[in-house]
Amino acid sequence: MLLLAIGIVFGACYLVSHKKDPRLLRNGPFLVAAIAFGGVGILLVLAEYNFFAAVALWLLALAIPLSILVFGIGLIANGITMLRREGHSLGNQLSLIVGVIVLALPVVSVVLVLQFGMTGFWLAALIGLASAYASVAFVSFAVYSVVYGRMRHSFTPAAIVVHGSGLIRGRVPPLLRGRLDRGLQVYRKELARGNRPLLVPSGGQGDDEPRPEGEAMAEYLRDQGVPASDILSETTSTSTSENITRSLELLESVGRSGPIMLVTSDYHVLRTASLARRMNVDAQVVGSRTARYFVPSAFIREFIALLVENHVATLIAVGTFAVLLVAILVGALNSALG
């Protein structure tokens, strides 16, 4: 009953926090904790009366170490695919690197315990602590990114800002086309509701691009039947924050005010929403689907960037998590010793 009660508390925290602002990063840990504690708590209660619930608990316990193996192998396979399709940049190697680390850390921990006794045990515990925090944080980020990206936002946007992502030989590539098509979907739904928002394709010109992204994006939108009067191109931004800031400046210059909808790729949704919140911008974010093989590396990259951008919150969370796990570990040791 205790775990079920904890799950209910986390569920209540999620509902309150989400109502306050769906862009809050803490919504992810609250949601995952509510599902995890609540699910296990329900199974524990049912296991006293139901054989299948007891079996499910055992399978869940066995699935945890198995999931590490499957996750590590899956990341390595994805990393190889990324290197073949996207090139050998560091960003494309992320899933491969993380996959090797996932498989190597349990082996390293066992070797430390066998070779160095109690000292090795504490080093292994430290590795386990760091791994547990990273795992929980990443799962929370990934789960809530998907949840937030699928939400229906009940507001009327004054504009739909589509974030650029690079051109290939001056033309819109598949990744960017997916964002534009998602923006078009939102735009057409708004027209059906009687609202006529501006479409703002946002992106400057990179060193390897013959023209600004915003210009090529606007051309694509016109080719899809959007009237030129409904398009306001932003062609100078070089980052997500500049996409937002300079698009707002453009909208202000033409007398458009009100909340805006930001459109990016699904893996980039939560980080963009968090950034908009920190910038005190009245905006929500929707995402376009990404090629499956690209998703693991993209989520890992976004997760790392999010930790760096929110380093203070990360340090507080790590400290809290460490204290809780150390307390649990010490309690378990005291129980084992007598």
Side-chain angles (χ1 to χ4, degrees):
M1 288 297 291
L2 177 61
L3 290 182
L4 181 56
I6 293 174
I8 292 172
V9 170
F10 274 117
C13 290
Y14 169 72
L15 292 175
V16 171
S17 181
H18 179 269
K19 184 176 181 181
K20 179 179 180 181
D21 194 331
R23 300 172 297 177
L24 286 167
L25 293 177
R26 67 189 182 211
N27 294 339
F30 284 157
L31 177 60
V32 170
I35 294 171
F37 283 107
V40 174
I42 290 172
L43 285 176
L44 284 171
V45 172
L46 293 177
E48 298 182 12
Y49 314 100
N50 188 291
F51 170 77
F52 293 105
V55 172
L57 277 174
W58 280 106
L59 291 176
L60 184 62
L62 292 173
I64 293 174
L66 182 62
S67 66
I68 295 173
L69 180 64
V70 172
F71 186 57
I73 293 174
L75 284 176
I76 291 173
N78 175 257
I80 294 171
T81 301
M82 285 291 294
L83 293 177
R84 287 176 177 171
R85 295 192 181 187
E86 301 291 336
H88 291 71
S89 68
L90 179 59
N92 293 334
Q93 297 178 47
L94 277 177
S95 56
L96 177 62
I97 294 169
V98 174
V100 171
I101 291 173
V102 167
L103 295 181
L105 285 181
V107 177
V108 170
S109 298
V110 171
V111 170
L112 284 172
V113 173
L114 293 177
Q115 291 294 319
F116 301 103
M118 186 54 68
T119 301
F121 170 81
W122 286 109
L123 288 173
L126 184 61
I127 291 174
L129 170 68
S131 301
Y133 172 77
S135 300
V136 171
F138 180 74
V139 169
S140 299
F141 164 73
V143 168
Y144 194 62
S145 290
V146 174
V147 171
Y148 179 85
R150 300 292 182 270
M151 287 178 186
R152 294 184 178 181
H153 302 292
S154 57
F155 73 108
T156 302
I160 301 164
V161 179
V162 184
H163 292 195
S165 62
L167 304 177
I168 296 179
R169 294 184 293 276
R171 300 187 67 82
V172 172
L175 180 67
L176 183 52
R177 186 165 61 245
R179 295 184 181 187
L180 288 164
D181 288 344
R182 185 74 172 95
L184 281 168
Q185 183 183 32
V186 177
Y187 168 77
R188 287 166 180 158
K189 284 184 177 179
E190 288 301 314
L191 290 182
R193 293 174 54 199
N195 179 40
R196 197 173 193 91
L198 285 177
L199 269 166
V200 184
S202 175
Q205 182 174 352
D207 295 334
D208 58 345
E209 294 175 327
R211 58 174 173 167
E213 294 170 18
E215 181 182 306
M217 294 161 71
E219 181 182 278
Y220 178 87
L221 292 172
R222 288 193 297 271
D223 290 343
Q224 300 304 307
V226 179
S229 58
D230 284 358
I231 300 172
L232 185 66
S233 300
E234 186 286 303
T235 59
T236 61
S237 59
T238 59
S239 65
T240 302
S241 60
E242 288 184 4
N243 284 145
I244 298 172
T245 300
R246 294 181 182 177
S247 295
L248 287 174
E249 290 171 352
L250 268 180
L251 289 167
E252 184 178 357
S253 70
V254 297
R256 272 297 174 113
S257 61
I260 60 175
M261 182 73 81
L262 305 175
V263 182
T264 183
S265 298
D266 50 8
Y267 61 83
H268 193 42
V269 163
L270 189 56
R271 183 177 161 213
T272 302
S274 175
L275 176 62
R277 181 179 179 275
R278 294 201 308 275
M279 293 172 66
N280 200 31
V281 174
D282 187 5
Q284 296 294 343
V285 190
V286 294
S288 62
R289 293 188 182 277
T290 309
R292 289 184 180 180
Y293 75 88
F294 194 78
V295 169
S297 290
F299 267 102
I300 291 170
R301 184 170 63 246
E302 288 296 304
F303 176 64
I304 293 171
L306 198 63
L307 291 181
V308 172
E309 289 175 357
N310 297 272
H311 55 277
V312 174
T314 299
L315 290 174
I316 293 173
V318 169
T320 303
F321 194 79
V323 170
L324 288 173
L325 281 190
V326 168
I328 292 171
L329 184 60
V330 170
L333 283 174
N334 288 336
S335 299
L337 296 174

